[in-house]
Amino acid sequence: MGVKEKMTKNDFKQYVGIEIMIIVMSEKKEDEYVGVTHQELQVYVYLNKCAIEFEHNSNSLPELKASNLYFKPDFLIRGTPNIIVEIDEDSHTNYDTHNEVKRMIDIWNAFNKNLIFIRVSVDRTKTLRKEHLDKIYTRINKYRGYNPSNLLLVDQLFYPVSERAKFTRR
């Protein structure tokens, strides 16, 4: 299904399934989900079920506003350190690597280097399996209370080796 100007409840039923539609639709307006992938909605529902508090796709994060940044991370889990989970459709192969790294550095600096990224590569045509969702949950818990020591830590889940190499310092 292509992106529409406004998704309807029927679109959600066809696109992501009734369970996700019911949970998500009760919290946000339909038009806030235009352009959101079904894998992102799966993660949204899963994090809710796991009782993990997060901010989703928000452009009003005080840390970013204070730095005049207008990025919208997929999921922000506040804590020490803060954790951003991003769903990267098709490993973001069509994104410019330099811009992706610059974006992460800008966000990391805005959070005073108290931030870890978990980037999840997904095939945009497939539904995430439970073991993928469990792995995301495990990584979130792994990094809670972790001290990244002023290092930009980016955990790439399910990335092909060829794509991981783009982000590796040489």
Side-chain angles (χ1 to χ4, degrees):
M1 180 173 109
V3 175
K4 292 180 163 188
E5 284 189 32
K6 183 173 182 180
M7 281 189 173
T8 66
K9 287 184 181 183
N10 285 336
D11 292 329
F12 273 102
K13 288 177 190 174
Q14 293 171 350
Y15 193 49
V16 296
I18 189 71
E19 177 186 15
I20 293 174
M21 189 273 307
I22 290 170
I23 293 169
V24 172
M25 296 302 281
S26 65
E27 296 181 21
K28 292 194 176 195
K29 294 179 269 179
E30 291 177 14
D31 59 351
E32 292 183 53
Y33 286 95
V34 171
V36 174
T37 67
H38 68 286
Q39 294 97 342
E40 192 174 321
L41 290 173
Q42 283 182 278
V43 173
Y44 184 102
V45 170
Y46 187 80
L47 294 179
N48 269 323
K49 283 183 178 180
C50 293
I52 293 177
E53 291 185 29
F54 60 89
E55 294 172 62
H56 176 251
N57 213 10
S58 176
N59 62 356
S60 61
L61 300 175
E63 296 86 352
L64 299 181
K65 281 186 145 188
S67 299
N68 292 317
L69 299 173
Y70 300 97
F71 303 122
K72 292 168 55 171
D74 294 337
F75 300 95
L76 170 62
I77 300 157
R78 292 194 178 273
T80 304
N82 296 292
I83 299 169
I84 287 181
V85 178
E86 296 207 308
I87 308 305
D88 296 345
E89 300 80 9
D90 301 323
S91 306
H92 279 190
T93 53
N94 53 348
Y95 285 55
D96 180 75
T97 304
H98 174 78
N99 290 342
E100 286 282 284
V101 171
K102 182 177 180 341
R103 176 181 178 272
M104 286 189 295
I105 291 171
D106 287 346
I107 294 171
W108 178 66
N109 282 323
F111 279 88
N112 294 317
K113 301 179 177 153
N114 179 29
L115 180 71
I116 293 174
F117 286 90
I118 300 173
R119 298 191 62 150
V120 184
S121 177
V122 298
D123 179 336
R124 72 175 61 245
T125 65
K126 296 183 179 167
T127 300
L128 290 173
R129 295 189 308 269
K130 184 172 182 333
E131 58 260 26
H132 290 119
L133 296 167
D134 289 344
K135 187 82 158 185
I136 295 167
Y137 177 78
T138 299
R139 291 296 172 90
I140 290 169
N141 285 326
K142 172 184 175 180
Y143 292 122
R144 287 184 167 171
Y146 181 81
N147 181 1
S149 302
N150 289 330
L151 297 174
L152 174 54
L153 186 94
V154 181
D155 188 342
Q156 294 176 311
L157 283 176
F158 318 120
Y159 263 76
V161 173
S162 61
E163 291 304 311
R164 276 196 309 248
K166 289 182 184 177
F167 295 99
T168 304
R169 183 182 270 173
R170 295 182 181 124

